[in-house]
Amino acid sequence: MFHLNMTTLTTLLHIIDRDLNLQGKALAFTEETPLRGALPQLDSMAIVTLVASLEEAFAFEFPEEKLDGAVFDSVGSLVNVVRELSGAE
Protein backbone atom coordinates (compact mmCIF):
# COMPACT_ATOMS: atom_id res chain seq x y z
CA MET A 1 0.00 0.00 0.00
CA PHE A 2 2.82 2.42 0.79
CA HIS A 3 5.47 3.39 -1.72
CA LEU A 4 9.10 2.67 -1.00
CA ASN A 5 10.06 6.30 -1.63
CA MET A 6 7.71 7.67 1.02
CA THR A 7 9.53 9.09 4.02
CA THR A 8 9.00 7.59 7.45
CA LEU A 9 7.01 10.66 8.49
CA THR A 10 4.77 10.59 5.41
CA THR A 11 4.12 6.87 5.78
CA LEU A 12 3.38 7.31 9.48
CA LEU A 13 0.93 10.13 8.79
CA HIS A 14 -0.92 8.02 6.22
CA ILE A 15 -1.18 5.17 8.73
CA ILE A 16 -2.41 7.48 11.50
CA ASP A 17 -4.94 9.02 9.15
CA ARG A 18 -6.25 5.63 8.00
CA ASP A 19 -6.27 3.87 11.36
CA LEU A 20 -7.85 6.78 13.25
CA ASN A 21 -10.26 7.59 10.40
CA LEU A 22 -9.17 11.23 10.29
CA GLN A 23 -10.26 11.73 6.68
CA GLY A 24 -7.06 13.40 5.52
CA LYS A 25 -6.51 15.63 8.56
CA ALA A 26 -3.39 13.74 9.71
CA LEU A 27 -1.65 14.45 6.42
CA ALA A 28 -1.14 18.05 7.58
CA PHE A 29 0.39 17.01 10.91
CA THR A 30 4.01 17.88 11.68
CA GLU A 31 6.43 16.22 14.08
CA GLU A 32 5.33 18.77 16.70
CA THR A 33 1.65 17.77 16.48
CA PRO A 34 0.45 16.30 19.79
CA LEU A 35 -1.29 12.93 19.67
CA ARG A 36 -1.98 11.52 23.13
CA GLY A 37 -4.63 13.59 24.84
CA ALA A 38 -5.19 15.71 21.72
CA LEU A 39 -6.96 13.16 19.53
CA PRO A 40 -10.06 11.55 21.05
CA GLN A 41 -9.77 8.82 18.40
CA LEU A 42 -6.46 7.66 19.91
CA ASP A 43 -7.85 5.34 22.56
CA SER A 44 -6.39 2.02 23.72
CA MET A 45 -7.97 0.04 20.88
CA ALA A 46 -6.72 2.53 18.31
CA ILE A 47 -3.21 2.24 19.76
CA VAL A 48 -3.32 -1.55 19.32
CA THR A 49 -4.40 -1.10 15.70
CA LEU A 50 -1.78 1.58 15.10
CA VAL A 51 1.02 -0.54 16.58
CA ALA A 52 0.04 -3.50 14.38
CA SER A 53 -0.06 -1.29 11.28
CA LEU A 54 3.34 0.24 12.06
CA GLU A 55 4.88 -3.17 12.67
CA GLU A 56 3.56 -4.39 9.33
CA ALA A 57 4.47 -1.28 7.32
CA PHE A 58 7.99 -0.95 8.73
CA ALA A 59 8.77 -4.65 9.31
CA PHE A 60 9.65 -4.56 13.01
CA GLU A 61 8.12 -5.53 16.34
CA PHE A 62 7.49 -3.06 19.12
CA PRO A 63 9.36 -4.32 22.19
CA GLU A 64 7.15 -4.23 25.26
CA GLU A 65 9.41 -1.67 26.97
CA LYS A 66 8.82 0.77 24.08
CA LEU A 67 5.04 0.62 24.46
CA ASP A 68 4.61 3.34 27.03
CA GLY A 69 2.41 6.38 26.72
CA ALA A 70 5.30 8.73 25.95
CA VAL A 71 5.75 7.08 22.55
CA PHE A 72 2.37 8.49 21.56
CA ASP A 73 2.85 12.01 22.96
CA SER A 74 3.42 13.53 19.53
CA VAL A 75 3.98 12.63 15.92
CA GLY A 76 7.70 13.30 16.49
CA SER A 77 8.00 10.95 19.45
CA LEU A 78 6.28 8.20 17.48
CA VAL A 79 8.31 8.74 14.32
CA ASN A 80 11.55 8.68 16.35
CA VAL A 81 10.68 5.28 17.81
CA VAL A 82 9.66 3.95 14.40
CA ARG A 83 12.94 5.15 12.88
CA GLU A 84 14.92 3.60 15.75
CA LEU A 85 13.18 0.23 15.55
CA SER A 86 13.03 -0.04 11.76
CA GLY A 87 16.32 1.57 10.81
CA ALA A 88 14.32 3.86 8.50
CA GLU A 89 15.38 7.42 7.65
Side-chain angles (χ1 to χ4, degrees):
M1 172 181 174
F2 299 104
H3 302 288
L4 291 175
N5 63 349
M6 292 177 86
T7 67
T8 302
L9 176 60
T10 302
T11 302
L12 179 69
L13 294 179
H14 280 277
I15 292 170
I16 291 170
D17 196 73
R18 180 195 66 204
D19 288 359
L20 300 184
N21 196 27
L22 296 177
Q23 303 175 353
K25 293 178 187 140
L27 304 181
F29 290 178
T30 67
E31 290 196 32
E32 291 76 34
T33 302
L35 295 175
R36 187 173 61 144
L39 295 174
Q41 299 90 334
L42 190 61
D43 60 15
S44 58
M45 290 304 296
I47 287 174
V48 170
T49 301
L50 192 56
V51 165
S53 293
L54 294 171
E55 288 179 335
E56 183 178 332
F58 291 100
F60 69 85
E61 287 188 27
F62 261 97
E64 198 169 313
E65 64 271 8
K66 291 285 187 187
L67 287 174
D68 64 21
V71 169
F72 299 94
D73 281 346
S74 68
V75 171
S77 60
L78 186 55
V79 82
N80 286 339
V81 170
V82 168
R83 286 176 176 150
E84 174 189 333
L85 295 174
S86 69
E89 295 299 318

